[in-house]
Amino acid sequence: MPHARPTIAVVGSLNIDLIASVESLPTIGETVPAMGLIRRFGGKGANQAVAAARQGAKVNMIGCVGSDPEGREYRKRLNNEGIVTAAISTEKAPTGTALIAVDRAGENLIIVVPGANGELTPTMLRGHARRITSAAVLLLQFEVPMPSVIEAVRIANRAGVKVVLNPSPLRSDFPWKECKLDTLIVNEVEANNIFGKSAMNSTRSGQWLERYPIEQVIITRGANSTLCLSRTAHLEVPTLTVEPVDTVGAGDAFAGAYAAQRSAGAEVSAAIRYANCAAALATLKSGAQEAIPFRVSVMNALSRAGEHSKPRR
């Protein structure tokens, strides 16, 4: 039976995004004027926490912000989303910042200043172990120090808590064969980099997955159907057909919605179907957190989609 109020622990980043709109991206040594500047809340950890909370999950956010106005403002923002912020530490380093330039064609340059995100330590994770061990799902990304990611996974593994990992931005220092994962969520490029192109052959997935303690690998492919590979099954789950306005944050909407569904006891195929819908709806508005849909919108869209969203085996 699904949990009455499923709990998710999210370990990840909290950033302030400063987005400048430019005619064209600058070359080395060039100064270009911006046509506008937008300030938004971001960071993959916080984005996915918001996505999970908007699907009805009780979310504990574990991370770090600075002792600056941005950090205080971010706490208030997450509290307003119903997210528990008691495990967000306040550090001397400034709140993480992403400096983003976007040109008319949608191409971008991004500079990330980790700031307080880089202060999250394994000791902090051990101090918040009860928030992880009492959760139905632990959700992580790779925007905080790797030793802390690994420690969080180990805490969850010892307690038998499902781990959902979205390894973005992809790094080479994660011990893939030592950490047990319920679900790995990757795009095609990330899948190829981790497992190799030959391993992505669905007819051989059972063979290569035997080498990893991963129950299922979900491969998102934009507007194309989402793949789910496990030792015993290969699923293709169609996405919701939309005309996207902005694809930023769609991946975070997917991960948060999927984790919320898994924490509530949903089967993998149903959770993917739901997450596909949430991700598609997130492309209909600009921004990351601003565009993340609420549960009622996702349920309405799923109802309209009907039989067309059923997975193919």
Side-chain angles (χ1 to χ4, degrees):
M1 293 292 292
H3 300 262
R5 184 84 193 281
T7 301
I8 296 174
V10 178
V11 174
S13 57
L14 303 96
N15 288 332
I16 299 296
D17 294 343
L18 299 175
I19 307 167
S21 300
V22 297
E23 186 70 31
S24 59
L25 298 176
T27 58
I28 295 175
E30 181 184 14
T31 299
V32 299
M35 297 174 286
L37 181 69
I38 299 173
R39 181 177 176 274
R40 288 182 171 143
F41 294 96
K44 294 189 72 63
N47 290 349
Q48 294 182 14
V50 169
R54 289 187 181 179
Q55 311 317 313
K58 178 181 178 182
V59 178
N60 275 290
M61 181 76 207
I62 303 173
C64 297
V65 294
S67 58
D68 45 26
E70 289 79 9
R72 292 190 291 274
E73 193 176 352
Y74 217 141
R75 282 181 185 275
K76 183 177 179 181
R77 160 79 167 188
L78 296 181
N79 285 332
N80 289 341
E81 292 283 348
I83 295 170
V84 179
T85 60
I88 296 178
S89 175
T90 300
E91 301 297 317
K92 292 182 179 179
T95 300
T97 304
L99 307 173
I100 307 168
V102 183
D103 67 15
R104 283 191 177 276
E107 297 296 325
N108 62 66
L109 289 175
I110 303 175
I111 300 173
V112 176
V113 184
N117 292 311
E119 302 300 313
L120 186 64
T121 66
T123 299
M124 290 179 182
L125 269 298
R126 289 190 286 272
H128 296 304
R130 287 185 61 186
R131 297 184 184 276
I132 296 173
T133 58
S134 63
V137 166
L138 170 66
L139 177 59
L140 311 101
Q141 319 77 32
F142 279 177
E143 285 190 336
V144 294
M146 187 57 69
S148 298
V149 172
I150 295 170
E151 182 63 24
V153 174
R154 287 175 175 164
I155 292 170
N157 284 172
R158 288 193 293 268
V161 174
K162 288 184 174 66
V163 178
V164 176
L165 174 64
N166 174 217
S168 180
L170 192 60
R171 294 167 56 173
S172 60
D173 51 347
F174 183 77
W176 292 104
K177 296 185 179 181
E178 298 174 19
C179 294
K180 183 179 179 181
L181 306 178
D182 175 81
T183 306
L184 178 68
I185 301 174
V186 289
N187 59 34
E188 288 182 285
V189 173
E190 292 163 342
N192 288 335
N193 285 337
I194 296 169
F195 303 112
K197 285 189 175 182
S198 60
M200 287 300 95
N201 184 329
S202 61
T203 60
R204 298 177 54 204
S205 60
Q207 299 174 27
W208 58 262
L209 265 178
E210 288 291 346
R211 303 197 297 270
Y212 299 90
I214 303 172
E215 292 301 313
Q216 49 259 329
V217 177
I218 293 175
I219 306 172
T220 58
R221 304 189 297 172
N224 295 324
S225 59
T226 300
L227 300 181
C228 180
L229 308 179
S230 70
R231 293 172 184 80
T232 59
H234 165 239
L235 298 177
E236 271 192 64
V237 185
T239 57
L240 187 69
T241 301
V242 296
E243 294 184 9
V245 173
D246 182 359
T247 60
V248 172
D252 292 335
F254 181 98
Y258 175 85
Q261 286 289 294
R262 286 292 282 158
S263 72
E267 293 295 327
V268 171
S269 60
I272 295 172
R273 195 158 58 242
Y274 185 98
N276 274 348
C277 190
L281 294 179
T283 69
L284 299 180
K285 297 179 182 178
S286 296
Q289 291 182 19
E290 294 77 7
I292 293 170
F294 287 86
R295 178 176 172 81
V296 63
S297 297
V298 180
M299 294 301 292
N300 287 340
L302 276 174
S303 179
R304 291 193 299 270
E307 294 300 312
H308 297 294
S309 64
K310 286 191 174 180
R312 295 191 295 270
R313 296 181 182 271

